[in-house]
Amino acid sequence: MSGGLLVAGTTSDAGKSVVTAGICRWLSRKGISVAPFKAQNMSLNSFVTREGAEIGRAQAMQAQAARVEPSALMNPVLLKPGGEKSSQVVLMGKPVGEMSARGYHGGRQQALLDTVVGCLEELRGTYDAVICEGAGSPAEINLRRTDIVNMGIARAARFPVVVVGDIDRGGVFASFFGTLALLGPADQELVAGFLVNKFRGDVSLLEPGLDMLRGLTGRDTFGVLPFQHGLGIDEEDGLRVSLRGAVRESAVAPPLGEDVLRVAVCAVPLMSNFTDVDALAAEPGVVVRFVDRAEELADADLVVVPGTRGTVRALAWLRERGLADALARRAAAGRPVLGICGGFQVLGERIEDDVESRAGAVDGLGLLPVRVRFAREKTLARPVGRALGEPVEGYEIHHGVAEVLGGEPFFSDDGGRSLDGCRVGEVWGTHWHGSLESDAFRRRFLTEVARAAGRRFVPAPDTRFGALREEQLDLLGDLIEEHADTEALLRLIDGGAPVGLPFVPPGAPS
């Protein structure tokens, strides 16, 4: 086998990321070497590869599903929004500047086509199959001329396309038909068929519609994937839960001790890497919620100020909403607060930012003895160390350089020398994303939080976050294996789209 497939979607959040991951896990189980690929990703959830390249977390998750090491080749272009109209452009894992949406789609995007095709071809030369993920919808006719992530890359690679639709939103048949009918003839030639996602109920009731869709388009539906609760899989485009919804919207396992532990995450603007709290939510008896009001911190045992692409903007937001004062009261009362990356920076005394916000010198919340200066070069690293006597590892993605002027070290090397962050009383701060995924450290940290909060909470001794993530990826593989036409998918990956697929009018406007 030497081929590939593009997983497109009728909309953003139709399920492209999870379907791509599921196909990767299924192929890997069959002994087929496979790699994920997304030419261009817009996300504030990112990851650092071992070679120090920044890519979307969704592609890192898909690489794990494929059981391969993530690489910048798998996500050559990453756009990190910094406001309503501009984004930082990360090319081959390194930031190359800020650009407006008009400037990017006006010429820069198309200029990157050779780069993304080159990355895809390198992956094709290394793996048996490459499963590509599209972005948004392939029928965004206003952007088709400069598209490099949907039909643009499919045309360049001659990859067949499967369009995923989220039936839970309603209107899936119209979405499938309309997506296809808004593509030009050359694009339609590559659209092999459809895949229904998040179906609830009796599939036999859906079959008449699938038959009619085949009659209208000449294309098959390659599977109906059932709605599945509890998929805590890394996503890219935004917060996957409602603002005040529990993480994953799944049932909280009962605590081992007498009390639960309540964690409130401040939903700051441009929140990045909110996946940091997934490891907390995986602990039995830990309830994690996202909040935006000061009164919602009152009953929290731990408040997390997460990462953000707009540190100064997040600081202003915390003050405007009264959350800054609530955090100060917590610190004075010895109630736990954890700041991660941008959240760590806002807890400090002072921020000098001539790079991200260009606001110059700004006073922080003053809860930690830290001064931050923004550097033009971004720190991208995969550090390892110790904290609370336990091994810990993480990844760093930040422009802010912290000067720690006091407090206790948080993360240290084996010799006890401080590596990052600090602690004053029950206020903690670090730049390290992903540190809470280190099981022994997370248990010790939660034990400290419970003690300070006066809760009779006991961390589970056997929760292994890595194993839980593997279980979720296996569940995605199961969904593909059990509910998709895997033989048809193999034929597409190996042989391309069927010849002679009919054109569905009107096609793309000229």
Side-chain angles (χ1 to χ4, degrees), residues 246-261:
V247 170
R248 292 196 206 91
E249 297 180 336
S250 58
V252 178
L256 268 68
E258 297 181 38
D259 292 337
V260 298
L261 208 63

Side-chain angles (χ1 to χ4, degrees), residues 55-123:
I55 65 172
R57 272 199 70 102
Q59 278 61 65
M61 174 270 293
Q62 291 160 358
Q64 184 177 352
R67 298 190 174 101
V68 298
E69 189 67 30
S71 160
L73 293 172
M74 299 172 183
N75 180 205
V77 182
L78 173 64
L79 306 178
K80 303 193 72 175
E84 296 298 324
K85 296 183 179 180
S86 67
S87 295
Q88 183 181 66
V89 181
V90 179
L91 179 62
M92 295 304 295
K94 305 295 181 183
V96 295
E98 297 279 334
M99 186 167 289
S100 69
R102 180 176 293 276
Y104 183 69
H105 290 286
R108 180 64 185 270
Q109 185 179 34
Q110 186 66 19
L112 293 172
L113 182 60
D114 288 344
T115 297
V116 301
V117 169
C119 291
L120 178 56
E121 289 306 309
E122 189 169 342
L123 291 173

Side-chain angles (χ1 to χ4, degrees), residues 134-193:
S137 162
E140 291 169 353
I141 54 180
N142 56 315
L143 303 176
R144 177 61 186 92
R145 181 177 61 84
T146 57
D147 168 49
I148 64 172
V149 66
N150 289 305
M151 300 312 299
I153 196 68
R155 289 267 292 273
R158 301 304 301 169
F159 273 4
V161 178
V162 172
V163 180
V164 177
D166 180 356
I167 198 170
D168 201 45
R169 296 182 173 195
V172 73
F173 292 118
S175 298
F176 282 146
F177 183 85
T179 297
L180 182 65
L182 280 176
L183 299 178
D187 287 347
Q188 287 196 23
E189 287 177 2
L190 296 176
V191 178

Side-chain angles (χ1 to χ4, degrees), residues 201-215:
D202 186 346
V203 176
S204 66
L205 298 177
L206 194 66
E207 288 172 352
L210 300 179
D211 291 339
M212 285 185 274
L213 184 66
R214 185 184 302 110

